Amino acid sequence: MQLQKPMDDAGINGCPTCAFEILGDHYLEGEVLTCEGCSAELEVVGLKPLRLAEAPEVEEDWGE
């Protein structure tokens, strides 16, 4: 019996929001791209296989 790895919020070769398939090997880890299917901003969190997650919201720094 093989244990299954817990699922996370990253999509493998696809958008985790709309499941639009994103192909290519020209991405860099940490790169932010826009999904052509739903316009979500995605961050490359892994390569081989390509793993994508929703990009974190950028918060403003008010000098605090």
Side-chain angles (χ1 to χ4, degrees), residues 21-38:
E21 189 173 17
I22 298 172
L23 301 173
D25 60 355
H26 58 279
Y27 299 109
L28 300 172
E29 195 162 341
E31 181 177 355
V32 176
L33 54 108
T34 302
C35 174
E36 293 178 27
C38 66

Side-chain angles (χ1 to χ4, degrees), residues 41-60:
E41 288 192 350
L42 305 173
E43 180 179 5
V44 177
V45 294
L47 305 168
K48 298 187 184 189
L50 179 64
R51 294 174 52 83
L52 303 165
E54 289 187 58
E57 294 284 327
V58 176
E59 295 182 23
E60 287 191 44

Side-chain angles (χ1 to χ4, degrees), residues 6-29:
M7 295 293 288
D8 59 14
D9 291 337
I12 298 176
N13 287 342
C15 175
T17 304
C18 73
F20 182 84
E21 189 173 17
I22 298 172
L23 301 173
D25 60 355
H26 58 279
Y27 299 109
L28 300 172
E29 195 162 341

